Amino acid sequence: MGGMNLYQTVSDTETVLRDGTIKLHGPAAFEGMRKAGRLAAEILDAMVDLVKPGVTTAQIDDVVRQMTLDGGAVPATLGYRGFAHSCCTSLNNVICHGIPGDRALKDGDIINIDVTPLLDGWHGDSSRMYLVGDVPLKARRLVDVTYECLMIGIEKARPGARLGDIGAAIQAHAEKHRLGVVREFCGHGLGRLFHDAPEVVHAARAGTGPELKPGMFFTIEPMINLGKPGVRMMDDGWTAVTRDRSLSAQFEHSIGITEDGCEIFTASPKGLDRPPY
Ligand code: MF3
Ligand code: CO
Ligand code: CO
């Protein structure tokens, strides 16, 4: 790395490239992310009343698309590398990138809904877990600890910390509860781009990685398995499942590093960040 061109201060209007640099943003960019993040949160808030036994994941996708468009945004996943849907719906042993379809939710399911409205050029990327009807204690515990992992990671996000401090804190918390941290998928820088530098790994050594600086935007999105961390890809090329078929959970926020900590762009305006809702 050598320290050369690790960061790039970007103006609010210029086109940015996926050139491996970590972008440092100004106040107008924070305002753009605040709006995109708020729309993501409002969409996820609306899922609380929709996620019921009998509802299909395609119906969830339809509501996400309509709410995204009504909010003046477009779903960033629609047409992204051939993905043809407005959100990801990851059920039970699906780790991430579950494809909406005709599967109906049933009592005892856990599901992650991941949305990314692109509003006025800014990406608001967030996901939450939802419990369908009566969910067994072990699954509820997994969902709870996964939410704690996200928030423990966010607590580390402040100027002067290293990116690895976030992954180290998440990994320590998950492993204390004998849960597996997925290694194959990471959080990511975002802003005008959907997926940008840096890669935000959820298992790391404290004190490693780039220093966090005010103006950095990135997601934290730990995927935590009830069993081992291993991943298997399904033949559709998208759906990632747990190799040992154990349950998996994930929460995601988009954040911006401020002068004294961070701002969560995708916090729920209704306080519906954590189940039970
Ligand atoms: N929203 C996902 C993320 O958190 C990315 C989904 S890409 C898709 O980064 F194509 F699978 F939708
Ligand atoms: Co993301
Ligand atoms: Co996402």
Side-chain angles (χ1 to χ4, degrees):
M1 236 180 280
M4 287 289 284
N5 299 326
L6 182 56
Y7 304 94
Q8 183 189 358
T9 302
V10 291
S11 79
D12 303 317
T13 49
E14 77 190 284
T15 305
V16 295
L17 297 177
R18 201 160 184 277
D19 57 6
T21 62
I22 296 172
K23 313 305 186 287
L24 302 178
H25 303 86
F30 272 82
E31 194 46 42
M33 288 299 285
R34 219 165 268 145
K35 289 183 180 150
R38 186 180 174 98
L39 180 57
E42 287 169 349
I43 295 166
L44 292 177
D45 285 353
M47 296 297 116
V48 170
D49 290 328
L50 182 65
V51 171
K52 294 277 147 55
V55 172
T56 68
T57 51
Q59 287 172 318
I60 291 170
D61 189 59
D62 285 341
V63 174
V64 169
R65 183 175 52 258
Q66 201 52 57
M67 283 195 74
T68 306
L69 297 173
D70 289 348
V74 293
T77 55
L78 200 53
Y80 178 80
R81 296 172 183 233
F83 196 84
H85 301 272
S86 301
C87 64
C88 298
T89 51
S90 302
L91 264 163
N92 298 330
N93 64 319
V94 178
I95 294 169
C96 64
H97 303 164
I99 302 173
D102 55 17
R103 164 71 150 85
L105 301 182
K106 57 179 200 285
D107 194 64
D109 283 340
I110 60 171
I111 184 171
N112 175 278
I113 303 175
D114 190 340
V115 302
T116 313
L118 169 58
L119 180 64
D120 297 333
W122 299 101
H123 291 83
D125 190 4
S126 186
S127 80
R128 298 179 202 158
M129 297 299 299
Y130 301 81
L131 310 175
V132 185
D134 267 332
V135 169
L137 181 61
K138 278 188 85 158
R140 278 185 278 138
R141 201 183 126 259
L142 168 69
V143 168
D144 246 22
V145 175
T146 304
Y147 181 77
E148 289 166 4
C149 283
L150 170 61
M151 298 315 289
I152 284 167
I154 289 176
E155 278 171 28
K156 296 286 175 187
R158 55 183 143 66
R162 298 293 188 120
L163 201 59
D165 297 348
I166 294 172
I170 291 170
Q171 182 181 8
H173 190 65
E175 292 180 354
K176 184 172 81 191
H177 291 272
R178 308 184 60 85
L179 300 170
V181 180
V182 171
R183 308 299 206 273
E184 282 81 348
F185 300 94
C186 317
H188 48 92
L190 83 172
R192 294 232 174 254
L193 298 170
F194 189 177
H195 291 114
D196 197 7
E199 273 192 4
V200 181
V201 300
H202 304 110
R205 278 168 45 199
T208 65
E211 186 183 330
L212 303 186
K213 294 181 185 284
M216 280 175 68
F217 296 163
F218 56 89
T219 73
I220 305 178
E221 48 181 301
M223 285 142 275
I224 308 292
N225 299 348
L226 201 43
K228 298 213 160 59
V231 174
R232 184 172 66 82
M233 291 306 297
M234 304 248 290
D235 290 337
D236 61 29
W238 282 106
T239 312
V241 297
T242 54
R243 193 163 268 286
D244 63 6
R245 297 185 166 79
S246 66
L247 293 175
S248 188
Q250 179 180 30
F251 286 87
E252 174 177 29
H253 272 314
S254 296
I255 68 171
I257 303 297
T258 59
E259 292 300 326
D260 60 359
C262 72
E263 177 174 346
I264 303 176
F265 297 126
T266 47
S268 168
K270 292 186 173 166
L272 302 174
D273 293 289
R274 177 185 202 164
Y277 301 117

PDB file of all heavy atoms in Angstrom, residues 69-106:
ATOM      1  N   LEU A  69     -39.470   3.574  -5.575  1.00  0.00           N
ATOM      2  CA  LEU A  69     -39.843   4.490  -6.666  1.00  0.00           C
ATOM      3  C   LEU A  69     -40.672   5.659  -6.132  1.00  0.00           C
ATOM      4  O   LEU A  69     -40.443   6.817  -6.509  1.00  0.00           O
ATOM      5  CB  LEU A  69     -40.611   3.734  -7.753  1.00  0.00           C
ATOM      6  CG  LEU A  69     -39.831   2.612  -8.463  1.00  0.00           C
ATOM      7  CD1 LEU A  69     -40.745   1.826  -9.403  1.00  0.00           C
ATOM      8  CD2 LEU A  69     -38.620   3.157  -9.215  1.00  0.00           C
ATOM      9  N   ASP A  70     -41.631   5.369  -5.239  1.00  0.00           N
ATOM     10  CA  ASP A  70     -42.449   6.428  -4.637  1.00  0.00           C
ATOM     11  C   ASP A  70     -41.589   7.432  -3.884  1.00  0.00           C
ATOM     12  O   ASP A  70     -41.947   8.607  -3.755  1.00  0.00           O
ATOM     13  CB  ASP A  70     -43.492   5.835  -3.678  1.00  0.00           C
ATOM     14  CG  ASP A  70     -44.606   5.096  -4.404  1.00  0.00           C
ATOM     15  OD1 ASP A  70     -44.699   5.225  -5.642  1.00  0.00           O
ATOM     16  OD2 ASP A  70     -45.375   4.377  -3.731  1.00  0.00           O
ATOM     17  N   GLY A  71     -40.461   6.965  -3.345  1.00  0.00           N
ATOM     18  CA  GLY A  71     -39.550   7.849  -2.619  1.00  0.00           C
ATOM     19  C   GLY A  71     -38.618   8.626  -3.538  1.00  0.00           C
ATOM     20  O   GLY A  71     -37.714   9.313  -3.057  1.00  0.00           O
ATOM     21  N   GLY A  72     -38.808   8.467  -4.846  1.00  0.00           N
ATOM     22  CA  GLY A  72     -37.998   9.217  -5.802  1.00  0.00           C
ATOM     23  C   GLY A  72     -36.654   8.586  -6.092  1.00  0.00           C
ATOM     24  O   GLY A  72     -35.758   9.223  -6.658  1.00  0.00           O
ATOM     25  N   ALA A  73     -36.518   7.316  -5.718  1.00  0.00           N
ATOM     26  CA  ALA A  73     -35.242   6.610  -5.894  1.00  0.00           C
ATOM     27  C   ALA A  73     -35.419   5.427  -6.841  1.00  0.00           C
ATOM     28  O   ALA A  73     -36.537   5.134  -7.286  1.00  0.00           O
ATOM     29  CB  ALA A  73     -34.747   6.108  -4.534  1.00  0.00           C
ATOM     30  N   VAL A  74     -34.324   4.759  -7.162  1.00  0.00           N
ATOM     31  CA  VAL A  74     -34.385   3.486  -7.884  1.00  0.00           C
ATOM     32  C   VAL A  74     -33.654   2.435  -7.053  1.00  0.00           C
ATOM     33  O   VAL A  74     -32.690   2.759  -6.343  1.00  0.00           O
ATOM     34  CB  VAL A  74     -33.780   3.565  -9.309  1.00  0.00           C
ATOM     35  CG1 VAL A  74     -34.615   4.447 -10.212  1.00  0.00           C
ATOM     36  CG2 VAL A  74     -32.340   4.043  -9.259  1.00  0.00           C
ATOM     37  N   PRO A  75     -34.113   1.173  -7.120  1.00  0.00           N
ATOM     38  CA  PRO A  75     -33.400   0.119  -6.387  1.00  0.00           C
ATOM     39  C   PRO A  75     -32.055  -0.163  -7.068  1.00  0.00           C
ATOM     40  O   PRO A  75     -32.022  -0.536  -8.234  1.00  0.00           O
ATOM     41  CB  PRO A  75     -34.327  -1.099  -6.499  1.00  0.00           C
ATOM     42  CG  PRO A  75     -35.644  -0.585  -7.031  1.00  0.00           C
ATOM     43  CD  PRO A  75     -35.294   0.637  -7.830  1.00  0.00           C
ATOM     44  N   ALA A  76     -30.968   0.028  -6.323  1.00  0.00           N
ATOM     45  CA  ALA A  76     -29.636  -0.129  -6.926  1.00  0.00           C
ATOM     46  C   ALA A  76     -29.353  -1.574  -7.345  1.00  0.00           C
ATOM     47  O   ALA A  76     -28.492  -1.816  -8.184  1.00  0.00           O
ATOM     48  CB  ALA A  76     -28.562   0.349  -5.946  1.00  0.00           C
ATOM     49  N   THR A  77     -30.089  -2.519  -6.770  1.00  0.00           N
ATOM     50  CA  THR A  77     -29.846  -3.930  -7.110  1.00  0.00           C
ATOM     51  C   THR A  77     -30.498  -4.328  -8.434  1.00  0.00           C
ATOM     52  O   THR A  77     -30.132  -5.346  -9.013  1.00  0.00           O
ATOM     53  CB  THR A  77     -30.419  -4.858  -6.019  1.00  0.00           C
ATOM     54  OG1 THR A  77     -31.807  -4.554  -5.842  1.00  0.00           O
ATOM     55  CG2 THR A  77     -29.694  -4.686  -4.702  1.00  0.00           C
ATOM     56  N   LEU A  78     -31.480  -3.527  -8.883  1.00  0.00           N
ATOM     57  CA  LEU A  78     -32.254  -3.866 -10.090  1.00  0.00           C
ATOM     58  C   LEU A  78     -31.347  -3.711 -11.316  1.00  0.00           C
ATOM     59  O   LEU A  78     -30.989  -2.599 -11.701  1.00  0.00           O
ATOM     60  CB  LEU A  78     -33.463  -2.927 -10.178  1.00  0.00           C
ATOM     61  CG  LEU A  78     -34.657  -3.304 -11.035  1.00  0.00           C
ATOM     62  CD1 LEU A  78     -35.199  -4.683 -10.716  1.00  0.00           C
ATOM     63  CD2 LEU A  78     -35.759  -2.258 -10.849  1.00  0.00           C
ATOM     64  N   GLY A  79     -30.946  -4.864 -11.884  1.00  0.00           N
ATOM     65  CA  GLY A  79     -30.037  -4.823 -13.023  1.00  0.00           C
ATOM     66  C   GLY A  79     -28.571  -4.798 -12.642  1.00  0.00           C
ATOM     67  O   GLY A  79     -27.698  -4.735 -13.510  1.00  0.00           O
ATOM     68  N   TYR A  80     -28.293  -4.881 -11.335  1.00  0.00           N
ATOM     69  CA  TYR A  80     -26.906  -4.872 -10.868  1.00  0.00           C
ATOM     70  C   TYR A  80     -26.253  -6.220 -11.153  1.00  0.00           C
ATOM     71  O   TYR A  80     -26.662  -7.233 -10.591  1.00  0.00           O
ATOM     72  CB  TYR A  80     -26.883  -4.559  -9.373  1.00  0.00           C
ATOM     73  CG  TYR A  80     -25.508  -4.553  -8.731  1.00  0.00           C
ATOM     74  CD1 TYR A  80     -24.672  -3.448  -8.859  1.00  0.00           C
ATOM     75  CD2 TYR A  80     -25.068  -5.654  -8.008  1.00  0.00           C
ATOM     76  CE1 TYR A  80     -23.422  -3.451  -8.271  1.00  0.00           C
ATOM     77  CE2 TYR A  80     -23.823  -5.660  -7.418  1.00  0.00           C
ATOM     78  CZ  TYR A  80     -23.000  -4.550  -7.556  1.00  0.00           C
ATOM     79  OH  TYR A  80     -21.765  -4.560  -6.979  1.00  0.00           O
ATOM     80  N   ARG A  81     -25.270  -6.242 -12.047  1.00  0.00           N
ATOM     81  CA  ARG A  81     -24.592  -7.487 -12.435  1.00  0.00           C
ATOM     82  C   ARG A  81     -25.581  -8.600 -12.774  1.00  0.00           C
ATOM     83  O   ARG A  81     -25.358  -9.768 -12.441  1.00  0.00           O
ATOM     84  CB  ARG A  81     -23.667  -7.970 -11.317  1.00  0.00           C
ATOM     85  CG  ARG A  81     -22.533  -7.000 -11.033  1.00  0.00           C
ATOM     86  CD  ARG A  81     -21.768  -7.437  -9.804  1.00  0.00           C
ATOM     87  NE  ARG A  81     -20.711  -6.480  -9.480  1.00  0.00           N
ATOM     88  CZ  ARG A  81     -19.438  -6.823  -9.309  1.00  0.00           C
ATOM     89  NH1 ARG A  81     -19.055  -8.066  -9.442  1.00  0.00           N
ATOM     90  NH2 ARG A  81     -18.540  -5.900  -8.996  1.00  0.00           N
ATOM     91  N   GLY A  82     -26.696  -8.218 -13.358  1.00  0.00           N
ATOM     92  CA  GLY A  82     -27.685  -9.211 -13.787  1.00  0.00           C
ATOM     93  C   GLY A  82     -28.712  -9.572 -12.731  1.00  0.00           C
ATOM     94  O   GLY A  82     -29.629 -10.351 -12.998  1.00  0.00           O
ATOM     95  N   PHE A  83     -28.602  -9.008 -11.526  1.00  0.00           N
ATOM     96  CA  PHE A  83     -29.622  -9.256 -10.490  1.00  0.00           C
ATOM     97  C   PHE A  83     -30.890  -8.519 -10.918  1.00  0.00           C
ATOM     98  O   PHE A  83     -30.842  -7.336 -11.247  1.00  0.00           O
ATOM     99  CB  PHE A  83     -29.115  -8.757  -9.134  1.00  0.00           C
ATOM    100  CG  PHE A  83     -29.889  -9.285  -7.950  1.00  0.00           C
ATOM    101  CD1 PHE A  83     -29.593 -10.535  -7.410  1.00  0.00           C
ATOM    102  CD2 PHE A  83     -30.904  -8.538  -7.356  1.00  0.00           C
ATOM    103  CE1 PHE A  83     -30.289 -11.023  -6.307  1.00  0.00           C
ATOM    104  CE2 PHE A  83     -31.602  -9.018  -6.254  1.00  0.00           C
ATOM    105  CZ  PHE A  83     -31.288 -10.262  -5.724  1.00  0.00           C
ATOM    106  N   ALA A  84     -32.036  -9.235 -10.904  1.00  0.00           N
ATOM    107  CA  ALA A  84     -33.248  -8.669 -11.524  1.00  0.00           C
ATOM    108  C   ALA A  84     -34.298  -8.254 -10.499  1.00  0.00           C
ATOM    109  O   ALA A  84     -35.485  -8.180 -10.814  1.00  0.00           O
ATOM    110  CB  ALA A  84     -33.830  -9.682 -12.506  1.00  0.00           C
ATOM    111  N   HIS A  85     -33.880  -7.964  -9.265  1.00  0.00           N
ATOM    112  CA  HIS A  85     -34.848  -7.700  -8.196  1.00  0.00           C
ATOM    113  C   HIS A  85     -34.482  -6.429  -7.423  1.00  0.00           C
ATOM    114  O   HIS A  85     -33.385  -5.913  -7.541  1.00  0.00           O
ATOM    115  CB  HIS A  85     -34.950  -8.917  -7.280  1.00  0.00           C
ATOM    116  CG  HIS A  85     -35.385 -10.143  -8.035  1.00  0.00           C
ATOM    117  ND1 HIS A  85     -36.703 -10.472  -8.222  1.00  0.00           N
ATOM    118  CD2 HIS A  85     -34.665 -11.078  -8.705  1.00  0.00           C
ATOM    119  CE1 HIS A  85     -36.782 -11.565  -8.959  1.00  0.00           C
ATOM    120  NE2 HIS A  85     -35.556 -11.965  -9.267  1.00  0.00           N
ATOM    121  N   SER A  86     -35.471  -5.974  -6.615  1.00  0.00           N
ATOM    122  CA  SER A  86     -35.321  -4.689  -5.935  1.00  0.00           C
ATOM    123  C   SER A  86     -34.783  -4.812  -4.523  1.00  0.00           C
ATOM    124  O   SER A  86     -34.559  -3.810  -3.851  1.00  0.00           O
ATOM    125  CB  SER A  86     -36.674  -3.977  -5.908  1.00  0.00           C
ATOM    126  OG  SER A  86     -37.127  -3.801  -7.230  1.00  0.00           O
ATOM    127  N   CYS A  87     -34.627  -6.045  -4.056  1.00  0.00           N
ATOM    128  CA  CYS A  87     -34.043  -6.293  -2.740  1.00  0.00           C
ATOM    129  C   CYS A  87     -33.523  -7.722  -2.712  1.00  0.00           C
ATOM    130  O   CYS A  87     -33.760  -8.497  -3.646  1.00  0.00           O
ATOM    131  CB  CYS A  87     -35.068  -6.082  -1.621  1.00  0.00           C
ATOM    132  SG  CYS A  87     -36.452  -7.248  -1.668  1.00  0.00           S
ATOM    133  N   CYS A  88     -32.833  -8.062  -1.643  1.00  0.00           N
ATOM    134  CA  CYS A  88     -32.453  -9.453  -1.398  1.00  0.00           C
ATOM    135  C   CYS A  88     -33.288  -9.948  -0.221  1.00  0.00           C
ATOM    136  O   CYS A  88     -33.503  -9.212   0.752  1.00  0.00           O
ATOM    137  CB  CYS A  88     -30.971  -9.585  -1.073  1.00  0.00           C
ATOM    138  SG  CYS A  88     -29.886  -9.052  -2.420  1.00  0.00           S
ATOM    139  N   THR A  89     -33.766 -11.209  -0.338  1.00  0.00           N
ATOM    140  CA  THR A  89     -34.558 -11.813   0.736  1.00  0.00           C
ATOM    141  C   THR A  89     -33.874 -13.131   1.109  1.00  0.00           C
ATOM    142  O   THR A  89     -33.905 -14.088   0.338  1.00  0.00           O
ATOM    143  CB  THR A  89     -36.002 -12.059   0.255  1.00  0.00           C
ATOM    144  OG1 THR A  89     -35.994 -12.768  -0.984  1.00  0.00           O
ATOM    145  CG2 THR A  89     -36.758 -10.734   0.071  1.00  0.00           C
ATOM    146  N   SER A  90     -33.240 -13.140   2.262  1.00  0.00           N
ATOM    147  CA  SER A  90     -32.406 -14.283   2.651  1.00  0.00           C
ATOM    148  C   SER A  90     -33.031 -14.988   3.850  1.00  0.00           C
ATOM    149  O   SER A  90     -33.054 -14.459   4.957  1.00  0.00           O
ATOM    150  CB  SER A  90     -30.985 -13.801   2.942  1.00  0.00           C
ATOM    151  OG  SER A  90     -30.453 -13.144   1.799  1.00  0.00           O
ATOM    152  N   LEU A  91     -33.541 -16.196   3.578  1.00  0.00           N
ATOM    153  CA  LEU A  91     -34.333 -16.953   4.557  1.00  0.00           C
ATOM    154  C   LEU A  91     -33.504 -18.028   5.249  1.00  0.00           C
ATOM    155  O   LEU A  91     -32.806 -18.803   4.573  1.00  0.00           O
ATOM    156  CB  LEU A  91     -35.439 -17.692   3.811  1.00  0.00           C
ATOM    157  CG  LEU A  91     -36.820 -17.080   3.721  1.00  0.00           C
ATOM    158  CD1 LEU A  91     -37.610 -17.773   2.606  1.00  0.00           C
ATOM    159  CD2 LEU A  91     -37.557 -17.260   5.047  1.00  0.00           C
ATOM    160  N   ASN A  92     -33.614 -18.117   6.552  1.00  0.00           N
ATOM    161  CA  ASN A  92     -33.106 -19.250   7.342  1.00  0.00           C
ATOM    162  C   ASN A  92     -31.623 -19.539   7.084  1.00  0.00           C
ATOM    163  O   ASN A  92     -30.785 -18.802   7.571  1.00  0.00           O
ATOM    164  CB  ASN A  92     -33.999 -20.470   7.113  1.00  0.00           C
ATOM    165  CG  ASN A  92     -35.433 -20.203   7.584  1.00  0.00           C
ATOM    166  OD1 ASN A  92     -35.638 -19.428   8.515  1.00  0.00           O
ATOM    167  ND2 ASN A  92     -36.407 -20.811   6.942  1.00  0.00           N
ATOM    168  N   ASN A  93     -31.305 -20.591   6.319  1.00  0.00           N
ATOM    169  CA  ASN A  93     -29.902 -20.944   6.099  1.00  0.00           C
ATOM    170  C   ASN A  93     -29.264 -20.144   4.962  1.00  0.00           C
ATOM    171  O   ASN A  93     -28.102 -20.371   4.635  1.00  0.00           O
ATOM    172  CB  ASN A  93     -29.770 -22.445   5.802  1.00  0.00           C
ATOM    173  CG  ASN A  93     -30.470 -22.829   4.518  1.00  0.00           C
ATOM    174  OD1 ASN A  93     -31.565 -22.338   4.242  1.00  0.00           O
ATOM    175  ND2 ASN A  93     -29.852 -23.674   3.720  1.00  0.00           N
ATOM    176  N   VAL A  94     -30.002 -19.214   4.358  1.00  0.00           N
ATOM    177  CA  VAL A  94     -29.411 -18.333   3.336  1.00  0.00           C
ATOM    178  C   VAL A  94     -28.659 -17.214   4.042  1.00  0.00           C
ATOM    179  O   VAL A  94     -29.213 -16.514   4.899  1.00  0.00           O
ATOM    180  CB  VAL A  94     -30.480 -17.751   2.386  1.00  0.00           C
ATOM    181  CG1 VAL A  94     -29.831 -16.811   1.374  1.00  0.00           C
ATOM    182  CG2 VAL A  94     -31.227 -18.870   1.669  1.00  0.00           C
ATOM    183  N   ILE A  95     -27.383 -17.067   3.681  1.00  0.00           N
ATOM    184  CA  ILE A  95     -26.516 -16.073   4.322  1.00  0.00           C
ATOM    185  C   ILE A  95     -26.803 -14.683   3.759  1.00  0.00           C
ATOM    186  O   ILE A  95     -26.944 -13.718   4.513  1.00  0.00           O
ATOM    187  CB  ILE A  95     -25.036 -16.449   4.103  1.00  0.00           C
ATOM    188  CG1 ILE A  95     -24.711 -17.756   4.843  1.00  0.00           C
ATOM    189  CG2 ILE A  95     -24.113 -15.314   4.527  1.00  0.00           C
ATOM    190  CD1 ILE A  95     -23.364 -18.352   4.488  1.00  0.00           C
ATOM    191  N   CYS A  96     -26.859 -14.590   2.422  1.00  0.00           N
ATOM    192  CA  CYS A  96     -27.099 -13.287   1.784  1.00  0.00           C
ATOM    193  C   CYS A  96     -27.444 -13.498   0.313  1.00  0.00           C
ATOM    194  O   CYS A  96     -27.294 -14.592  -0.220  1.00  0.00           O
ATOM    195  CB  CYS A  96     -25.878 -12.374   1.906  1.00  0.00           C
ATOM    196  SG  CYS A  96     -24.413 -12.981   1.050  1.00  0.00           S
ATOM    197  N   HIS A  97     -27.943 -12.409  -0.322  1.00  0.00           N
ATOM    198  CA  HIS A  97     -28.245 -12.365  -1.765  1.00  0.00           C
ATOM    199  C   HIS A  97     -29.325 -13.365  -2.172  1.00  0.00           C
ATOM    200  O   HIS A  97     -29.352 -13.811  -3.326  1.00  0.00           O
ATOM    201  CB  HIS A  97     -26.970 -12.571  -2.598  1.00  0.00           C
ATOM    202  CG  HIS A  97     -25.904 -11.560  -2.289  1.00  0.00           C
ATOM    203  ND1 HIS A  97     -24.592 -11.719  -2.646  1.00  0.00           N
ATOM    204  CD2 HIS A  97     -25.962 -10.380  -1.622  1.00  0.00           C
ATOM    205  CE1 HIS A  97     -23.882 -10.677  -2.233  1.00  0.00           C
ATOM    206  NE2 HIS A  97     -24.706  -9.852  -1.610  1.00  0.00           N
ATOM    207  N   GLY A  98     -30.227 -13.687  -1.223  1.00  0.00           N
ATOM    208  CA  GLY A  98     -31.378 -14.519  -1.570  1.00  0.00           C
ATOM    209  C   GLY A  98     -32.235 -13.811  -2.603  1.00  0.00           C
ATOM    210  O   GLY A  98     -32.447 -12.593  -2.536  1.00  0.00           O
ATOM    211  N   ILE A  99     -32.721 -14.566  -3.586  1.00  0.00           N
ATOM    212  CA  ILE A  99     -33.489 -14.011  -4.707  1.00  0.00           C
ATOM    213  C   ILE A  99     -34.977 -14.099  -4.397  1.00  0.00           C
ATOM    214  O   ILE A  99     -35.493 -15.182  -4.122  1.00  0.00           O
ATOM    215  CB  ILE A  99     -33.187 -14.785  -6.014  1.00  0.00           C
ATOM    216  CG1 ILE A  99     -31.683 -14.737  -6.333  1.00  0.00           C
ATOM    217  CG2 ILE A  99     -34.006 -14.234  -7.170  1.00  0.00           C
ATOM    218  CD1 ILE A  99     -31.286 -15.617  -7.511  1.00  0.00           C
ATOM    219  N   PRO A 100     -35.708 -12.972  -4.447  1.00  0.00           N
ATOM    220  CA  PRO A 100     -37.147 -13.019  -4.219  1.00  0.00           C
ATOM    221  C   PRO A 100     -37.833 -13.944  -5.223  1.00  0.00           C
ATOM    222  O   PRO A 100     -37.444 -13.992  -6.390  1.00  0.00           O
ATOM    223  CB  PRO A 100     -37.585 -11.557  -4.422  1.00  0.00           C
ATOM    224  CG  PRO A 100     -36.357 -10.752  -4.133  1.00  0.00           C
ATOM    225  CD  PRO A 100     -35.210 -11.581  -4.628  1.00  0.00           C
ATOM    226  N   GLY A 101     -38.847 -14.674  -4.758  1.00  0.00           N
ATOM    227  CA  GLY A 101     -39.553 -15.619  -5.625  1.00  0.00           C
ATOM    228  C   GLY A 101     -40.864 -16.052  -5.002  1.00  0.00           C
ATOM    229  O   GLY A 101     -41.428 -15.328  -4.172  1.00  0.00           O
ATOM    230  N   ASP A 102     -41.337 -17.230  -5.362  1.00  0.00           N
ATOM    231  CA  ASP A 102     -42.683 -17.642  -4.931  1.00  0.00           C
ATOM    232  C   ASP A 102     -42.708 -18.346  -3.572  1.00  0.00           C
ATOM    233  O   ASP A 102     -43.763 -18.796  -3.125  1.00  0.00           O
ATOM    234  CB  ASP A 102     -43.379 -18.484  -6.003  1.00  0.00           C
ATOM    235  CG  ASP A 102     -42.537 -19.681  -6.416  1.00  0.00           C
ATOM    236  OD1 ASP A 102     -41.596 -20.035  -5.667  1.00  0.00           O
ATOM    237  OD2 ASP A 102     -42.812 -20.247  -7.489  1.00  0.00           O
ATOM    238  N   ARG A 103     -41.580 -18.419  -2.902  1.00  0.00           N
ATOM    239  CA  ARG A 103     -41.553 -19.024  -1.564  1.00  0.00           C
ATOM    240  C   ARG A 103     -42.379 -18.162  -0.601  1.00  0.00           C
ATOM    241  O   ARG A 103     -42.144 -16.956  -0.471  1.00  0.00           O
ATOM    242  CB  ARG A 103     -40.099 -19.126  -1.087  1.00  0.00           C
ATOM    243  CG  ARG A 103     -39.884 -19.369   0.397  1.00  0.00           C
ATOM    244  CD  ARG A 103     -40.283 -20.777   0.845  1.00  0.00           C
ATOM    245  NE  ARG A 103     -39.467 -21.194   1.987  1.00  0.00           N
ATOM    246  CZ  ARG A 103     -39.714 -20.906   3.264  1.00  0.00           C
ATOM    247  NH1 ARG A 103     -40.757 -20.147   3.587  1.00  0.00           N
ATOM    248  NH2 ARG A 103     -38.913 -21.358   4.217  1.00  0.00           N
ATOM    249  N   ALA A 104     -43.373 -18.794   0.054  1.00  0.00           N
ATOM    250  CA  ALA A 104     -44.183 -18.088   1.047  1.00  0.00           C
ATOM    251  C   ALA A 104     -43.545 -18.227   2.420  1.00  0.00           C
ATOM    252  O   ALA A 104     -43.003 -19.292   2.761  1.00  0.00           O
ATOM    253  CB  ALA A 104     -45.595 -18.651   1.058  1.00  0.00           C
ATOM    254  N   LEU A 105     -43.595 -17.159   3.189  1.00  0.00           N
ATOM    255  CA  LEU A 105     -43.070 -17.213   4.555  1.00  0.00           C
ATOM    256  C   LEU A 105     -43.935 -18.130   5.396  1.00  0.00           C
ATOM    257  O   LEU A 105     -45.147 -18.218   5.194  1.00  0.00           O
ATOM    258  CB  LEU A 105     -43.058 -15.812   5.164  1.00  0.00           C
ATOM    259  CG  LEU A 105     -42.221 -14.764   4.424  1.00  0.00           C
ATOM    260  CD1 LEU A 105     -42.264 -13.438   5.166  1.00  0.00           C
ATOM    261  CD2 LEU A 105     -40.786 -15.239   4.244  1.00  0.00           C
ATOM    262  N   LYS A 106     -43.286 -18.830   6.334  1.00  0.00           N
ATOM    263  CA  LYS A 106     -44.064 -19.667   7.238  1.00  0.00           C
ATOM    264  C   LYS A 106     -43.602 -19.496   8.683  1.00  0.00           C
ATOM    265  O   LYS A 106     -42.486 -19.020   8.940  1.00  0.00           O
ATOM    266  CB  LYS A 106     -44.041 -21.128   6.792  1.00  0.00           C
ATOM    267  CG  LYS A 106     -42.693 -21.765   6.643  1.00  0.00           C
ATOM    268  CD  LYS A 106     -42.901 -23.226   6.209  1.00  0.00           C
ATOM    269  CE  LYS A 106     -41.672 -24.073   6.493  1.00  0.00           C
ATOM    270  NZ  LYS A 106     -40.576 -23.807   5.544  1.00  0.00           N
TER     271      LYS A 106
END
